[in-house]
Amino acid sequence: MVKRQLPNPRELMELMQFKKPDLDARRRRLSAALTIDDLRAIAKRRTPAAAFDYTDGAADGEVSLARARQAFQDVEFHPDILRPAEHVDTSTTVLGGPSALPFGIAPTGFTRLMQTEGETAGAGAAAAAGIPFTLSTLGTTTIEDVKAVNPTGRNWFQLYVMRQREISYGLVERAAAAGFDTLMFTVDTPVAGARLRDTRNGFSIPPQLSVKTILNAVPRPWWWFDFLTTPKLEFASLSTTGGTVGELLNSAMDPTISYEDLEVIRGMWPGKLVVKGVQNVPDAVRLIDLGVDGIVLSNHGGRQLDRAPVPFHLLPQVVREVGRDATVMIDTGIMNGADIVASVALGAKFTLIGRAYLYGLMAGGRQGVDRTIAILRTEIERTMALLGVSTLEELEPRHVTQLRRLQPVTDASGIIAR
Ligand SMILES: Cc1cc2nc3c(=O)[nH]c(=O)nc-3n(C[C@H](O)[C@H](O)[C@H](O)COP(=O)(O)O)c2cc1C
C-alpha cells in the first residue's frame, strides 16, 4: 500500500523553478547544442544548401569520411578505477609552443562562404581558448588580418605549392614576417577530388546565382544579408597576385610537387615545418628521417582520394615506426572530444578539427566556434576523468582498443593477411 497525502504547497513551490528565458536567440540556440552533431543540424538549417554541402561533403561516395568517423566510433576505452583525478589538465606542448587543448583549428579554404565572420571567428576563438589556428592558402582573410585578430596566440599557415611557385614563396615570406610559427605543407592535392555534391548543386567558386540557389535562399535570409553586405569573397592573401578566383584555385593543385619543393621550402622557412596529408608508414618514416618537425596523418577530411586509408587506423603503426618522440598529428573524422583522447592515447601529439569548427561557425559565427571548442573541451575532460587520468601524458595505448570492423584481406604488399 502506498501512503498518500495532500500536496504540500511549500514543496510544490520548491519544484517550480522556472528559468529566466534567454532573449539572445543566438546564445539560446547555441547553448541547446550539446554535441558537434547538434551544431551540424543548426548549421544545416541556417546555411544555403550549396555552401553547407561544400563544407559537409567529401569526394566521390564519401567513403573515406564515413570510415574515418566510424573508426572513432569503434573505439573501446579501458578505464582504471579508484585513481583520484580531481583536476584534469588538458594542456600540452606541440611544435615548440603551448596549447591549452590537444587540438587546433585545421586550415580551410573559402571559410567566409560558410558564415561571413570566417577565419576571423576561428582565429579569435582559438586565441581565446589558447589553441593554434591554421590559415589556409585559400583562406578568405589575409595573413596580416589573422595576425591582428590573434596577435599573441599561435598562428600556423597552410601552404599549397602553386604552379606559379613565386606566389607560394611570397606567402611563405609574408607568414614569416607576420610571426606565424608553423608552416603546414599540404601534399594530398595533386588534383582536385571529385566533390559530387558541389557538381550536383551547380556550386562553383566564386558562387553563382541560379534559380535553385535563390529558391534555397528564401528561408535563410540572414546568410544572404551577410553575403550581400560584406566584402566580396576572395582568396584574400592572393588578392594582389592577379588571376580570377577560378584560376588561382586551379593553380593551387599541382601534380608536379615533389620532395624537391619540400627542400626549397625548408630553406625559406624559419619556423617549424609540418607535412599534412601523409597516408602510409614509409612516407611518414621518410619525412621524419628528412628532419621535418611534424607530420599530419590525414586524408583531407575525405575530400580528395575516396576509400583512402583511415588516419586513425594508420596511427599506431606510424607511431611505432617513427617513435613516440616524433610529432605525429592526425585529423579527419573528429566529431567528439573522446576521438581526440583516443588519438592521444595511441600516440598522436596533437589533432586538428576541420568540419567540427565549421559547423560551429555556420551555427553562430564566433560564438558558434566558441561553442565547438567548449563542447570538445568538456568531452575531453570528462573522458579523461572517466578513464582515471589527470594529464595527457598519462594516456597510453592500453587505454584504447580499436575494434575491428573492416578487416583487410591483403596487406600493403598485396599478401593475404592472416
Ligand atoms: C570546407 C573545407 C575546406 C578545406 N580546405 C582546406 C585547405 O584549403 N587546405 C588544406 O590543407 N586542407 C583543407 N581542408 C581539410 C582540413 O584541413 C582537414 O584536413 C579536414 O577538414 C579534417 O577532417 P574533418 O573535417 O573531419 O575534421 C578543408 C576541409 C574542409 C571541410
Side-chain angles (χ1 to χ4, degrees):
M1 270 298 271
V2 177
K3 222 173 118 198
R4 294 198 186 272
Q5 62 183 35
L6 281 174
N8 177 335
R10 188 138 43 91
E11 281 173 12
L12 203 62
M13 284 309 283
E14 275 169 22
L15 289 177
M16 291 208 247
Q17 306 250 349
F18 297 114
K19 266 206 291 190
K20 251 205 345 235
D22 190 342
L23 297 179
D24 181 332
R26 181 182 285 203
R27 204 166 48 212
R28 208 170 49 233
R29 191 167 71 232
L30 291 172
S31 57
L34 303 182
T35 63
I36 302 300
D37 275 310
D38 289 347
L39 286 175
R40 178 182 178 277
I42 300 170
K44 189 167 183 181
R45 279 203 306 274
R46 301 185 62 79
T47 317
F52 179 80
D53 279 345
Y54 168 69
T55 310
D56 190 58
D60 297 285
E62 307 193 357
V63 174
S64 290
L65 179 62
R67 283 186 187 162
R69 286 181 175 167
Q70 187 66 53
F72 284 123
Q73 302 269 312
D74 291 346
V75 153
E76 185 176 69
F77 284 114
H78 304 281
D80 293 323
I81 53 159
L82 298 176
R83 285 177 47 132
E86 201 182 350
H87 300 291
V88 169
D89 180 1
T90 58
S91 67
T92 188
T93 301
V94 64
L95 298 165
S99 177
L101 293 159
F103 68 87
I105 293 188
T108 59
F110 236 56
T111 314
R112 284 188 45 236
L113 171 78
M114 290 71 168
Q115 200 271 356
T116 195
E117 295 171 45
E119 288 88 356
T120 308
I131 64 174
F133 174 80
T134 316
L135 174 65
S136 164
T137 289
L138 302 178
T140 40
T141 305
T142 63
I143 292 171
E144 294 74 18
D145 285 348
V146 164
K147 176 67 182 177
V149 176
N150 185 16
T152 52
R154 300 186 71 188
N155 292 305
W156 296 356
F157 186 72
Q158 177 267 326
L159 186 73
Y160 280 128
V161 169
M162 306 182 70
R163 282 172 198 269
Q164 298 102 307
R165 296 289 191 266
E166 313 71 50
I167 297 180
S168 297
Y169 300 159
L171 293 176
V172 172
E173 280 164 12
R174 274 170 70 186
F180 282 46
D181 68 69
T182 296
L183 189 70
M184 195 176 274
F185 177 18
T186 298
V187 295
D188 55 10
T189 56
V191 296
R195 316 269 169 80
L196 302 185
R197 289 202 219 181
D198 293 351
T199 314
R200 292 193 176 115
N201 286 331
F203 173 78
S204 61
I205 290 181
Q208 313 262 292
L209 292 183
S210 66
V211 176
K212 200 168 148 192
T213 49
I214 290 169
L215 284 179
N216 192 270
V218 175
R220 296 167 177 86
W222 289 112
W223 187 95
W224 283 93
F225 177 73
D226 283 340
F227 181 67
L228 297 171
T229 58
T230 53
K232 185 170 121 235
L233 283 177
E234 58 180 359
F235 297 133
S237 298
L238 300 171
S239 62
T240 49
T241 54
T244 64
V245 164
E247 283 161 3
L248 289 168
L249 186 65
N250 211 20
S251 167
M253 314 271 161
D254 182 354
T256 73
I257 61 165
S258 70
Y259 277 91
E260 276 170 37
D261 291 296
L262 183 63
E263 276 297 301
V264 175
I265 291 157
R266 171 79 286 180
M268 298 179 67
W269 177 251
K272 302 287 184 188
L273 180 64
V274 169
V275 176
K276 172 171 180 278
V278 177
Q279 300 189 62
N280 69 34
V281 177
D283 282 345
V285 171
R286 181 168 177 189
L287 288 165
I288 296 295
D289 286 349
L290 280 174
V292 300
D293 299 296
I295 54 174
V296 186
L297 304 180
S298 167
N299 62 37
H300 212 107
R303 298 165 73 81
Q304 288 297 114
L305 177 67
D306 201 18
R307 306 186 232 186
V310 173
F312 184 60
H313 285 165
L314 268 180
L315 179 65
Q317 215 191 332
V318 167
V319 172
R320 196 163 49 241
E321 294 300 321
V322 301
R324 277 185 88 92
D325 289 341
T327 302
V328 178
M329 303 188 269
I330 183 170
D331 77 14
T332 301
I334 292 172
M335 291 286 281
N336 190 301
D339 305 345
I340 296 171
V341 172
S343 301
V344 174
L346 292 185
K349 284 276 188 300
F350 206 62
T351 62
L352 298 172
I353 54 159
R355 293 182 185 80
Y357 141 61
L358 298 173
Y359 294 143
L361 177 65
M362 291 187 282
R366 163 66 196 274
Q367 285 168 270
V369 185
D370 289 339
R371 186 75 188 135
T372 287
I373 295 172
I375 289 171
L376 294 175
R377 179 193 292 117
T378 307
E379 289 167 344
I380 291 170
E381 287 172 347
R382 192 188 312 112
T383 306
M384 287 173 67
L386 288 171
L387 281 174
V389 303
S390 42
T391 64
L392 294 170
E393 292 77 57
E394 288 169 55
L395 286 168
E396 292 178 15
R398 71 182 175 83
H399 287 113
V400 171
T401 306
Q402 295 184 324
L403 299 178
R404 187 169 302 213
R405 183 180 295 254
L406 296 166
Q407 186 170 355
V409 176
T410 51
D411 69 14
S413 50
I415 295 167
I416 294 188
R418 293 192 181 276

